[in-house]
Amino acid sequence: MHRSKLSRSILLALGLVSAGGAIAADAGTADTTSSGSHTAPTQLDAMLVTGTRASNRTQFETLAPVDVFTKQDIQSVDSTDLKDVLAQLVPSFVVQRLPMADGQVFVRPATLRGLSPDQTLVLVNGRRFHRSALLGNRGAQAADLAQIPTSAIKRIEVLRDGASAQYGSDAIAGVINIILEDSPGTEITAGYSQYAQGDGASRDFSARTGWALGDYGSLALFAESSNSDATSRTRQRPDAIAFQAAHPELDVPNPVQRWGQPELESRRVGFNLKANASDTLEIYAFGLYSHSDGVSDFNWRNPDTTTGAYRTTSIFPGWNLRSIYPVGFSPQYGNVQNDLQLVAGLRGEITPKLRWDLSASYGRNAIDYSLKNSINASLGPDSPTSFDLGRLTQTEKNANADFNYEWDVAALSKPINVAFGGEFRQETYQVRAGDPASYAVGPGAAAGLEANSNGAPGFSASQAGQWSQRSKAAYVDMEVPLGERWSIGAAGRYEDFSSFGSTVDGKLSARFAITPDVALRGTVSTGFRAPTPAQLNTTSTTQGLDTRTLQIFTSGRLSPSDPLAQLLGAKPLTPEESRTASLGLTWRTDMGLSGSVDVYRIKLSDRFSQSASFAIPAGTPNPLGYTSVNYFTNDFDTTTTGVDVVGNYLRDLGASRMTLTLAYNYNQTRVDNGSTSVATNETQRVLFEDRLPEHKGSFTGSWDVGAWSLMARFRYYGKWTDSTGNATGDIYQQFGAMTFLDLAVGYRINQHHSLRVGADNVFDRYPDEATFQASRGLIYSRNAPYDTDGANVYAQYRLTF
């Protein structure tokens, strides 16, 4: 076989198999951009590699809904953070800013269909992307999409369906597959953006270059840099105003603390390689490395009221914290991340009908935390003011053997596609202790001076350690064409985990073509999300500020295996399990109109969360001074119902082209039972049911004419409910619906140079103020499902050759 024919055969068919079955190849993709020839297909004609292992499946022909976003779609969003890009493109995808929320300021939680961040599987070139080392809100440990450079992406495919039977753990809400660029040519981009209030300036630079290695393959290299200044949407705290009035001789900063985006520097590099070793063998590899360094504010400590830090005692005669921080202090929380993903593999064919793919991957995310402008008051004058808080590291190793067979059956006009294979995965989680001073309980603790670095205690020697979990899996996936109208599919997966045992999941799907351009599709499946080594074994300490008392509280999260946690009722963690059903209608027309409507229902049992908080039992040692403790637990069951509506319209208007896209999602989650039900924990019920908008949508129009391109996008978010997050006595506030308008204009100077200018949130709209958090100087809720910093104006220059 000629090398070019083999390459095409492998890229279209062999790439179908991956870590649990995703397609890694990306050739054969139809042009779905708004530019190009007048015969460009509609979006539903795009060739797919996610959610199917058949080599000739298009977006219109899939048995489950899949969104395809091109490079042009990605570049229409002014952000180098992939989470922000997806939040604007995918209607059921929501990401929060969460200022002053510890590590979540830098690793922001992102949800698909309102489910937990770690219930969406992330793939790169069809291979599982590793998790972040951070355990976020309620213990979610998800992949951090922000570590993937947007400038390196060729397209994104989002499978909106349960797929654990095909891909394994985490694929409950769906699958996001990032396909990296492999085309020849060079592209260099420089951009600058700033908020209308004059802060948050971002300076972005990216470069990508690719070569065709003759008839033997391709190599692409990419690099990306981003420097973002902090934002502040803050008023002076009332207690800071009172403190200034009481101490006119002092110069109190205004504001004393900042609510907004962190100061952040990021650098990302990577490569994507494909090479034919022979007529029947291809070698492939890709790698991504990211480094980021950020700083964020914490709550201000008032010298007149923060008695745990400013108390004077005979233990330290003559020492008073006012000599160091006379106007109080706001600790500065530092986050340094290093992220690495490496994948290498071989694929080929035994016969033209039987293809194989062997691959191995290594992923690692390490986060180093630091704290400046702080104190361990219990150490008195011996305390430093800067602390190394320790390091969290998540490491994953995967090995996959995947096979794909086209089985010719005489009774069928097309072959049955049979895919099967196995996977071995090992996850390791490591906690390195911080400086001893960051968790020390000094002599001043006996007199009421607070222990630990104030703001974020370091990881102690007793919390440090390393834990691993291994899993082995086998799967089979079949797609059967029953004539011209019917197609059915079935998948099954067995997986065994060293920590808790085995699980078996299955999926059935079907598609019926009512006409050649209108089809019904539906799926039923079971799924799971396995607890991670971090969730099974680690403990943590956090500090917060009660919005009523303005006093610092310290909470401890214990491992479920901790004796104290077991005394309070903790039990071993088990997988979250799901049952998903979906039914959809999809269509396309010769007039350029295409779309789909899909309804779904996801029932989740044994959902993962933190338990209620418990007071430390009398007589129990409490050296870290916990106000309360909790632990991870399989806590409750939920039912999520929703509908996705997607519509596209392409029309040529003489020498120009108009594109209209509508995307809408309705998503409702209700707590069925468990310890977070209405009768036992109102706070948790409200958070799970109302913390995100039930309605989210966008309408985008673009017009390309000559060298000019115009884009307008309306984004809509429905109402949602927030809570204070107090240790006790949560207060709720409902926020109304919000609509934002984004505009952009592009001009192609010549075939090499182009400019683009635009603005997000053109009318500088803000949500209602978070009245119950005014005591902390916050104006807009930090839990908002959208950016609350106002209008953002940007300019971008692109060079291609």
Side-chain angles (χ1 to χ4, degrees), residues 517-579:
D517 295 318
V518 180
L520 283 170
R521 61 191 178 196
T523 68
V524 291
S525 64
T526 62
F528 74 102
R529 191 202 65 81
T532 68
Q535 294 165 341
L536 289 165
N537 298 285
T538 63
T539 64
S540 69
T541 303
T542 59
Q543 289 184 338
L545 185 74
D546 192 292
T547 60
R548 287 174 166 173
T549 65
L550 296 184
Q551 293 300 308
I552 303 297
F553 60 84
T554 304
S555 299
R557 195 262 302 152
L558 308 177
S559 163
S561 60
D562 185 278
L564 176 56
Q566 293 179 342
L567 176 67
L568 296 172
K571 296 179 180 179
L573 294 177
T574 60
E576 298 174 310
E577 297 183 345
S578 67
R579 290 174 289 161

Side-chain angles (χ1 to χ4, degrees), residues 478-494:
M478 301 178 63
E479 292 189 23
V480 184
L482 299 177
E484 294 299 321
R485 295 197 171 195
W486 277 102
S487 296
I488 61 173
R493 184 182 182 94
Y494 169 84

Side-chain angles (χ1 to χ4, degrees), residues 97-384:
R97 284 288 182 190
L98 297 179
M100 216 178 293
D102 297 350
Q104 291 186 115
V105 177
F106 305 100
V107 184
R108 297 182 294 148
T111 66
L112 187 67
R113 289 184 165 178
L115 301 183
S116 177
D118 54 5
Q119 290 170 345
T120 298
L121 178 63
V122 175
L123 309 173
V124 176
N125 279 356
R127 299 301 187 265
R128 178 183 286 265
F129 190 72
H130 58 276
R131 309 176 197 276
S132 167
L134 174 72
L135 273 69
N137 193 19
R138 292 180 297 279
Q141 188 183 7
D144 184 11
L145 287 162
Q147 302 302 320
I148 301 172
T150 57
S151 59
I153 299 174
K154 184 174 185 176
R155 72 178 186 276
I156 303 171
E157 298 181 353
V158 180
L159 171 63
R160 294 179 277 111
D161 194 42
S164 291
Q166 297 166 290
Y167 298 96
S169 179
D170 306 349
I172 291 177
V175 179
I176 298 173
N177 191 10
I178 312 298
I179 307 300
L180 299 178
E181 263 292 3
D182 61 353
S183 56
T186 298
E187 183 175 272
I188 299 173
T189 303
Y192 179 85
S193 65
Q194 183 173 294
Y195 284 94
Q197 291 199 21
D199 59 4
S202 179
R203 296 155 293 275
D204 306 313
F205 176 84
S206 65
R208 179 196 63 82
T209 187
W211 303 272
L213 304 177
D215 290 334
Y216 296 92
S218 64
L219 172 65
L221 304 176
F222 24 84
E224 191 172 276
S225 170
S226 178
N227 293 276
S228 300
D229 296 339
T231 63
S232 180
R233 301 296 176 266
T234 315
R235 291 193 183 102
Q236 183 66 301
R237 287 173 50 145
D239 58 338
I241 295 174
F243 179 79
Q244 178 70 86
H247 302 277
E249 74 281 4
L250 299 176
D251 185 13
V252 179
N254 186 6
V256 290
Q257 67 184 59
R258 183 184 53 78
W259 289 95
Q261 300 179 35
E263 180 182 338
L264 185 63
E265 295 184 3
S266 300
R267 306 288 184 269
R268 306 180 186 99
V269 296
F271 73 93
N272 190 20
L273 170 69
K274 299 174 185 177
N276 295 327
S278 70
D279 287 348
T280 58
L281 180 65
E282 183 185 65
I283 301 171
Y284 62 90
F286 69 87
L288 298 171
Y289 173 75
S290 174
H291 172 83
S292 61
D293 190 346
V295 178
S296 178
D297 278 19
F298 271 5
N299 283 297
W300 178 64
R301 274 58 175 167
N302 186 332
D304 286 349
T305 60
T306 311
T307 57
Y310 281 89
R311 185 190 307 270
T312 57
T313 169
S314 59
I315 297 176
F316 304 121
W319 182 78
N320 190 325
L321 189 56
R322 291 176 189 264
S323 63
I324 302 175
Y325 301 123
V327 295
F329 62 100
S330 297
Q332 301 292 295
Y333 190 61
N335 175 295
V336 176
Q337 285 198 65
N338 288 284
D339 192 274
L340 175 67
Q341 177 85 3
L342 292 173
V343 174
L346 300 170
R347 54 193 173 206
E349 60 181 37
I350 299 173
T351 70
K353 297 288 186 179
L354 179 61
R355 298 170 293 275
W356 57 270
D357 191 326
L358 302 177
S359 66
S361 67
Y362 174 85
R364 181 178 184 269
N365 178 260
I367 308 177
D368 289 275
Y369 293 110
S370 62
L371 198 67
K372 297 180 181 179
N373 202 48
S374 183
I375 198 75
N376 183 336
S378 70
L379 295 176
D382 294 328
S383 172

Side-chain angles (χ1 to χ4, degrees), residues 767-791:
D768 296 335
E769 295 189 8
T771 55
F772 59 73
Q773 297 192 40
S775 60
R776 292 194 278 177
L778 182 142
I779 302 175
Y780 309 108
S781 171
R782 66 177 181 175
N783 298 314
Y786 37 70
D787 191 340
T788 60
D789 284 332

Side-chain angles (χ1 to χ4, degrees), residues 65-86:
V66 180
D67 294 324
V68 179
F69 302 104
T70 66
K71 189 178 189 71
Q72 287 71 24
D73 295 325
I74 298 166
Q75 291 176 345
S76 73
V77 181
D78 176 50
S79 179
T80 59
D81 189 326
L82 184 54
K83 293 179 181 179
D84 292 329
V85 173
L86 288 171

